[in-house]
Amino acid sequence: MQSYTIGQAARLLGVSPDTARRWADAGRVATHRDESGRRLIDGRDLAAFSVEVAQAGPGEGEVPYTSARNAFPGIVTAVKLGDVAAQVEIQAGPHRLVSLLTREAVEELGLEVGMRATARVKSTSVHIDRT
């Protein structure tokens, strides 16, 4: 299973490394140390935590000013395989993206919960919100 450093986890969660470190220090997400003493987060734990953080929404006083780009780097939080088709969910910071693709594509990419992946979106209609 892939593990992530605090910095990598912070980028995937869309927060600063200091915020990710505080969450780890508070026990909100489990960490372990590698042979060189770096703190790591197991991919499955990070996937579950990323969903929890996203469902909580922005904190009080946090105003998101965004124009989402077409590439969403994140972490795979679910893979549902059918006989021919598959459904893959990616949590990219506060964004949950769901893609329907072939089972063959999922197997070729080796997608599984806890690994990094980037969702790329092509759209003919883009909406921009300033909150």
Side-chain angles (χ1 to χ4, degrees):
M1 170 54 54
Q2 186 166 358
S3 293
Y4 298 90
T5 65
I6 295 290
Q8 290 171 323
R11 281 189 297 280
L12 292 168
L13 293 167
V15 298
S16 72
D18 285 338
T19 296
R21 197 171 294 107
R22 281 192 300 272
W23 287 342
D25 290 345
R28 290 189 60 193
V29 63
T31 63
H32 63 278
R33 297 210 181 254
D34 67 7
E35 59 279 349
S36 63
R38 293 182 310 165
R39 285 200 303 181
L40 300 174
I41 302 171
D42 180 76
R44 288 190 183 276
D45 291 339
L46 183 58
F49 183 66
S50 69
V51 171
E52 176 188 323
V53 168
Q55 289 174 345
E60 193 171 316
E62 292 181 33
V63 181
Y65 294 97
T66 66
S67 174
R69 305 300 193 280
N70 290 344
F72 295 86
I75 187 166
V76 176
T77 57
V79 176
K80 298 174 187 164
L81 296 174
D83 292 336
V84 176
Q87 178 178 311
V88 176
E89 294 182 25
I90 293 177
Q91 193 70 46
H95 308 288
R96 175 179 166 258
L97 296 109
V98 180
S99 179
L100 300 176
L101 56 161
T102 64
R103 179 186 180 117
E104 179 182 23
V106 171
E107 290 171 347
E108 284 178 5
L109 291 169
L111 295 177
E112 61 182 41
V113 171
M115 71 185 311
R116 284 186 289 182
T118 299
R120 298 202 183 271
V121 179
K122 181 178 179 185
S123 176
T124 57
S125 177
V126 177
H127 300 265
I128 300 172
D129 296 336
R130 181 167 190 253
T131 325

